[in-house]
Amino acid sequence: LRSAEELQLQERFDARIDAGDFIEAKDWMPEHYRKTLLRQISQHAHSEIVGMLPEGNWITRAPTLKRKAILLAKVQDEGGHGLYLYAAAETLGTSRDQMVDALHTGKAKYSSIFNYPTLSWADVGVIGWLVDGAAIMNQVPICRCSYAPYARAMVRICREESFHQRQGFDSLLTMMKQGTQAQRDMVQDAVNRWWWPTLMMFGPPDDQSPNSAQSMRWGIKRISNDDLRQKFVDASQEQAAVLGVSFPDPELRWNAERQHYDFGAIDWSEFWRVVGGDGPCNRERLTARVKAWDDGAWVREAALAHAEKQAQMPRK
Ligand code: FAQ
C-alpha cells in the first residue's frame, strides 16, 4: 500500500506530464519512469559508443584527405554523444561505471544496426545517409521528451546528426554522379545490405512493443515505432530517386489512398536474433569495447594516482 503522501506526489507528477511540463533530475518521479528512462538513455549511449566501431573501421582507408577529416569528426561526435547521454543517464542515480559494466557483460542492449559489417567504402556513406537519417527521424521527437536532461542532450546531438546525414548523402552523390560503374555498383550493393536492418532500428511493430504504451503516456516517446518507420520510408524514397539507387523491396510503391509508401514485410526473426546477441558482428563489437576498456586501465590508474597526489598537496 502506498502512503497518502506518495499518492499525492504521483498525482502531481501525472498532472505535470499531462500539462506538458518537463521533469528535472531533482523532481520526484515514479520508480518505473526512472527505470524506463535509464534503460532507454543508457541503451542509446551504448549505441553511440558501439556505433563508432563500424565506421571507425574505415578511418585509415578513407579515399581522400577531405573524406578522412569528415569521418574522423563524425566518429568523434559519436563518442561525444555517448558521453552526453551517459551524463544524462547518471542524473537518474546510476553511475557510468555500472552502465559500462552492463554493456561489457552483455546485460545491456544497444542498437541492432551496429552488429552489421562495413564491407566497402560505400557502407560509410550509406550509414551516414540511412542510419543517421533513421537516427534523426527517431531523435528529433526526443528533443521534446518529458525528462529535461535527456531532451537537452538531444538538441545538440540532433544538430550533429544532421551533419552526419548530409556528409553520407554527399559522399554517395559524388560516387553516383561522378564515379565509375564499379563505384555505382558498390553504392547499390551497400544500400541493398543496409536497407532492411535500418528499418529495424525503429524497434518492433507497435502491437509487439512492450514499452511503447507507457513511454508514450509519459511523453518519453512522442511518435510510435511504426509511424516513425513510415515517415522514414517516405523521406528515403525521394532521396533514393535523387541518388539514382533503389531499395531491395519489390513491394515498395506509392499508395495514393494512404498518401504514403507501402513496403514489404520486415524479417522480425532476424531482428530478434541480432538483439539477442547472434548477429553477424555482435561478438566482435563487444570484444572490441572490452579490449578498449582494458587497454585504457593505465590511464584510469594514472588519473586516480594524480588526483590522490593533488589531494595530499598542501593548499596554496
Ligand atoms: N536494437 O518496447 P520497445 C545512433 C528493444 S542511433 C536493439 O519498442 P522502446 C546514432 C528495446 O530496447 C541508435 N534493441 O522499446 C548513430 C526493448 O528491449 P528492453 C540508437 C531494440 O525502448 C548513427 C525491446 O526491443 N538510438 O546511435 C531495438 O520503447 C550512426 C522492445 O522494444 C536510440 O537508442 C533496436 N533497434 O523503443 C551512431 C534512440 N529496438 O529494453 C553511430 C532512443 C527495440 O525492454 C553511427 N531509443 N529494441 O529489454 C528509442 O527511441 C527507443 O528505445 C527505441 C525502442 C525506439 C529504440
Side-chain angles (χ1 to χ4, degrees):
L1 274 183
R2 294 199 292 177
S3 67
E5 191 195 0
E6 208 180 314
L7 284 174
Q8 210 176 25
L9 287 166
Q10 173 82 52
E11 263 170 38
R12 208 177 306 151
F13 174 86
D14 291 343
R16 289 185 66 189
I17 293 282
D18 290 343
D21 276 1
F22 286 104
I23 307 298
E24 291 289 347
K26 62 184 182 338
D27 295 340
W28 184 89
M29 62 187 80
E31 216 28 52
H32 187 191
Y33 178 81
R34 182 188 299 277
K35 282 215 176 92
T36 299
L37 279 164
L38 189 61
R39 177 184 64 78
Q40 178 166 327
I41 304 173
S42 61
Q43 284 177 7
H44 193 167
H46 299 325
S47 304
E48 297 280 357
I49 299 297
V50 177
M52 298 168 77
L53 297 169
E55 290 165 285
N57 185 32
W58 281 89
I59 291 174
T60 53
R61 290 174 289 163
T64 66
L65 183 61
K66 182 179 122 184
R67 294 288 172 204
K68 182 173 175 131
I70 293 170
L71 185 56
L72 265 175
K74 179 184 193 288
V75 173
Q76 281 177 0
D77 284 351
E78 283 152 8
H81 297 174
L83 299 188
Y84 317 147
L85 289 165
Y86 283 129
E90 278 189 311
T91 64
L92 294 158
T94 297
S95 73
R96 190 164 134 197
D97 280 354
Q98 285 171 300
M99 290 184 264
V100 169
D101 186 60
L103 174 69
H104 292 174
T105 51
K107 281 188 223 120
K109 289 194 172 73
Y110 58 86
S111 183
S112 49
I113 194 73
F114 303 117
N115 293 307
Y116 291 85
T118 40
L119 302 180
S120 77
W121 170 251
D123 289 40
V124 172
V126 171
I127 289 180
W129 174 38
L130 293 180
V131 175
D132 284 278
I136 296 170
M137 202 56 99
N138 161 276
Q139 290 172 17
V140 166
I142 306 178
C143 298
R144 293 181 292 116
C145 165
S146 61
Y147 188 57
Y150 189 26
R152 280 193 289 267
M154 288 319 298
V155 173
R156 177 163 173 184
I157 292 178
C158 284
R159 288 200 186 128
E160 293 177 351
E161 300 284 23
S162 301
F163 152 64
H164 297 174
Q165 201 266 355
R166 285 297 299 273
Q167 67 81 37
F169 189 82
D170 177 74
S171 162
L172 297 179
L173 196 63
T174 304
M175 283 190 271
M176 292 304 292
K177 303 296 172 195
Q178 295 167 35
T180 60
Q181 186 58 43
Q183 284 171 313
R184 285 194 290 277
D185 292 346
M186 191 168 79
V187 173
Q188 183 61 59
D189 173 65
V191 170
N192 291 348
R193 285 181 288 105
W194 287 91
W195 175 246
W196 291 108
T198 304
L199 294 191
M200 295 174 195
M201 282 175 74
F202 295 94
D206 293 348
D207 59 6
Q208 289 160 47
S209 158
N211 302 298
S212 275
Q214 185 60 72
S215 288
M216 298 281 278
R217 167 75 187 82
W218 276 329
I220 294 173
K221 273 171 128 164
R222 297 285 184 185
I223 307 181
S224 82
N225 297 2
D226 284 331
D227 288 349
L228 284 170
R229 192 166 12 247
Q230 181 70 63
K231 270 165 78 95
F232 176 74
V233 171
D234 292 347
S236 302
Q237 184 61 2
E238 286 168 25
Q239 294 165 8
V242 175
L243 280 178
V245 296
S246 60
F247 294 126
D249 180 358
E251 290 174 52
L252 186 66
R253 68 180 66 89
W254 180 248
N255 181 328
E257 209 174 296
R258 289 201 314 122
Q259 289 290 302
H260 287 295
Y261 283 92
D262 288 337
F263 54 99
I266 293 172
D267 180 358
W268 290 110
S269 63
E270 173 179 328
F271 170 77
W272 289 115
R273 204 166 53 241
V274 175
V275 172
D278 202 16
C281 300
N282 294 57
R283 287 167 196 84
E284 185 183 329
R285 299 293 183 238
L286 263 198
T287 304
R289 284 314 314 157
V290 171
K291 180 175 185 307
W293 179 257
D294 291 346
D295 288 353
W298 69 273
V299 179
R300 293 189 297 278
E301 280 160 22
L304 277 176
H306 179 70
E308 271 163 29
K309 231 190 236 171
Q310 291 293 103
Q312 282 163 12
M313 299 259 264
R315 292 210 176 161
K316 284 189 192 134

